[in-house]
């Protein structure tokens, strides 16, 4: 997908995958190899946590009922609004995405010189800005039935709720088409997944850091 990168200049990797794909596990394995992992979802949570910088704009746009009793954005209520109206989703993204972009840039600038940076971005393929900001795209993939089962087990969601999220995300085919590398994480033991991550790291960056 991306233009050739001269030897020694590869540094910025975009990591993505659908809900329940195991992307967070791969991010942790990449961190073990030596990457600085910048998690856009975690930044979004910070922006919408009590006292978060995005809360005034969110409350002004959507009403105070989307702010919970704890002072954070009520994610369940906002999720329902987003699913019910595509324009609501676009408006929320219009508030959050520029703030997330600024926060990720600050985090990248704070990383030690030469350290590989992995941007963990669930909606990387859906975004217009991200493909131009990274040099390689790594996709974590698995079957949709596996995604549904994993999210139901970890979050207690219904299958229908998971499918609604999947419908809002890029298809497996679209993510794979955008990928420079794909890790198929379906019924894969953790040790084998770790080995595949380390092999990819060695291909792109040389030998991984040892604990």
């Amino acid at each position: 997908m991306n233009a050739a990168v001269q030897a020694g200049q590869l540094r910025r990797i975009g990591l993505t995958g659908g809900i329940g794909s195991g992307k967070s596990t791969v991010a942790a394995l990449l961190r073990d190899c030596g990457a600085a992992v910048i998690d856009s979802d975690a930044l979004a949570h910070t922006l919408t946590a009590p006292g978060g910088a995005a809360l005034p704009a969110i409350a002004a746009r959507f009403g105070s009922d989307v702010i919970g009793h704890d002072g954070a954005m009520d994610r369940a209520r906002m999720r329902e609004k987003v699913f019910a109206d595509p324009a609501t989703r676009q408006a929320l993204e219009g508030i959050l995405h520029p703030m997330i972009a600024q926060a990720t840039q600050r985090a990248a600038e704070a990383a030690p010189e030469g350290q590989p940076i992995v941007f963990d971005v669930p909606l990387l393929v859906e975004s217009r800005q991200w493909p131009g900001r990274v040099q390689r795209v790594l996709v974590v993939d698995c079957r949709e039935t596996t995604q549904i089962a994993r999210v139901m087990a970890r979050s207690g969601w219904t299958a229908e709720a998971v499918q609604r999220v999947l419908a809002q995300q890029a298809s497996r085919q679209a993510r794979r088409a955008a990928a420079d590398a794909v890790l198929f994480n379906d019924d894969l033991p953790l040790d084998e997944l770790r080995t595949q991550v380390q092999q990819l790291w060695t291909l792109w960056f040389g030998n991984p850091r040892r604990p």
Side-chain angles (χ1 to χ4, degrees):
M1 171 187 172
N2 295 302
V5 180
Q6 294 182 9
Q9 293 185 350
L10 179 60
R11 190 184 180 204
R12 301 165 73 91
I13 304 300
L15 172 66
T16 194
I19 186 172
S21 64
K23 177 178 57 62
S24 296
T25 300
V26 171
L29 294 173
L30 288 166
R31 183 180 289 110
D32 290 344
C33 287
V37 177
I38 301 174
D39 185 338
S40 65
D41 248 5
L43 293 173
H45 276 270
T46 299
L47 290 168
T48 58
L55 291 179
I58 290 172
R61 174 62 178 80
F62 303 107
S64 59
D65 65 317
V66 300
I67 308 301
H69 295 299
D70 61 353
M73 184 182 76
D74 186 329
R75 297 178 69 85
R77 184 181 293 273
M78 183 58 75
R79 190 181 301 118
E80 290 299 319
K81 288 179 176 289
V82 165
F83 286 148
D85 180 15
T88 298
R89 176 180 179 178
Q90 293 173 0
L92 180 62
E93 290 175 347
I95 294 170
L96 288 178
H97 285 188
M99 292 184 173
I100 293 171
Q102 292 173 3
T104 56
Q105 183 61 32
R106 288 194 297 269
E109 291 172 352
E113 183 176 356
Q115 182 180 18
I117 300 172
V118 172
F119 297 94
D120 181 348
V121 185
L123 300 181
L124 185 147
V125 173
E126 295 88 334
S127 167
R128 294 181 179 179
Q129 60 165 315
W130 274 108
R133 295 180 61 188
V134 298
Q135 297 162 293
R136 294 286 188 274
V137 173
L138 172 58
V139 168
V140 185
D141 184 42
C142 67
R143 293 174 296 175
E144 186 173 302
T145 53
T146 301
Q147 293 177 266
I148 294 171
R150 285 174 177 168
V151 178
M152 290 175 66
R154 81 182 184 201
S155 302
W157 290 12
T158 65
E160 291 75 15
V162 183
Q163 288 169 332
R164 289 173 69 187
V165 173
L166 290 172
Q168 297 281 332
Q169 297 185 338
S171 67
R172 290 179 61 198
Q173 292 78 8
R175 277 192 294 269
R176 292 175 71 97
D180 294 291
V182 176
L183 292 173
F184 186 63
N185 181 34
D186 203 305
D187 297 327
L188 194 65
L190 180 59
D191 285 346
E192 187 173 342
L193 180 62
R194 178 182 292 109
T195 296
Q196 292 191 19
V197 169
Q198 290 176 345
Q199 289 173 342
L200 182 62
W201 181 276
T202 299
L203 177 66
W204 283 351
F205 302 111
N207 292 330
R209 179 180 62 191
R210 298 300 178 187

